[in-house]
Amino acid sequence: MQTDDPSLSCTAPALNAMRTSLSNGEIAGNVQFLPGLSLMADPALKIGGQFCSPAGRLLELDITTSGVGGWIALHVKLGIATLSETAYLGFACRHAAPAELMIRACLRSGTEDGFVDTFFDKHILAAPDPLNHVDALHIATCRTLPETAPWRELILFLPKRDFRWHLHDLRPFAL
């Protein structure tokens, strides 16, 4: 991740480790791939499947569901507590999927009462050919986004059905 904001730098080691290492495993509920990068799902979905992180790619997911539930999401912890010096917060990614699917992204900010989600404007569309996606929040116009928060995450909400998705790269940024 390249950014002028060093507060996001805690995300870079986890994402770089996924890009440069070979790993794979089973998915049976929530999975922490590395500190700061995890897959979480509503237990009612009864998710299963497999993941791998081949060299040069971040993550490939092959997810199955056998129940009905509310959400599956990839969570990326961001080390940015205050947005007072930030004009834009966003991400860039490169991805593909054998069958088209849509993904929704948000910035989740911790609050005293729990959290608040601020959704990015663009949906992420995955298709068989690799695509690039870039989106950013203009901080000054996000009325419900708290300026300070004890923690923040970039969350990618995935389909609540069986799917395969290849996340080649993901780069959060703050400008």
Side-chain angles (χ1 to χ4, degrees), residues 79-175:
I80 185 165
T82 182
L83 298 173
S84 61
E85 300 294 319
T86 304
Y88 293 93
L89 194 142
F91 68 98
C93 68
R94 182 164 178 80
H95 60 99
E100 285 188 357
L101 54 97
M102 195 171 307
I103 298 162
R104 192 91 197 271
C106 83
L107 175 64
R108 179 167 286 175
S109 302
T111 66
E112 289 181 14
D113 301 328
F115 61 84
V116 62
D117 287 346
T118 305
F119 282 88
F120 289 84
D121 289 335
K122 300 180 205 171
H123 288 68
I124 303 166
L125 176 63
D129 291 328
L131 296 170
N132 298 315
H133 179 90
V134 179
D135 202 354
L137 297 170
H138 181 244
I139 302 305
T141 59
C142 293
R143 301 193 193 291
T144 62
L145 182 61
E147 185 176 310
T148 60
W151 55 267
R152 295 189 200 273
E153 294 179 324
L154 171 65
I155 300 180
L156 303 178
F157 286 99
L158 304 167
K160 299 180 287 184
R161 57 173 170 75
D162 296 358
F163 68 90
R164 289 176 46 207
W165 184 48
H166 302 165
L167 181 58
H168 298 211
D169 201 2
L170 177 64
R171 309 276 174 148
F173 60 84
L175 305 171

Side-chain angles (χ1 to χ4, degrees), residues 39-103:
L39 180 75
M40 297 184 193
D42 181 344
L45 275 171
K46 301 176 186 171
I47 69 166
Q50 300 199 13
F51 74 89
C52 68
S53 179
R57 286 196 183 169
L58 193 59
L59 186 62
E60 295 182 357
L61 297 173
D62 187 353
I63 302 286
T64 59
T65 61
S66 60
V68 177
W71 44 267
I72 302 174
L74 186 66
H75 291 247
V76 181
K77 290 197 182 299
L78 304 175
I80 185 165
T82 182
L83 298 173
S84 61
E85 300 294 319
T86 304
Y88 293 93
L89 194 142
F91 68 98
C93 68
R94 182 164 178 80
H95 60 99
E100 285 188 357
L101 54 97
M102 195 171 307
I103 298 162

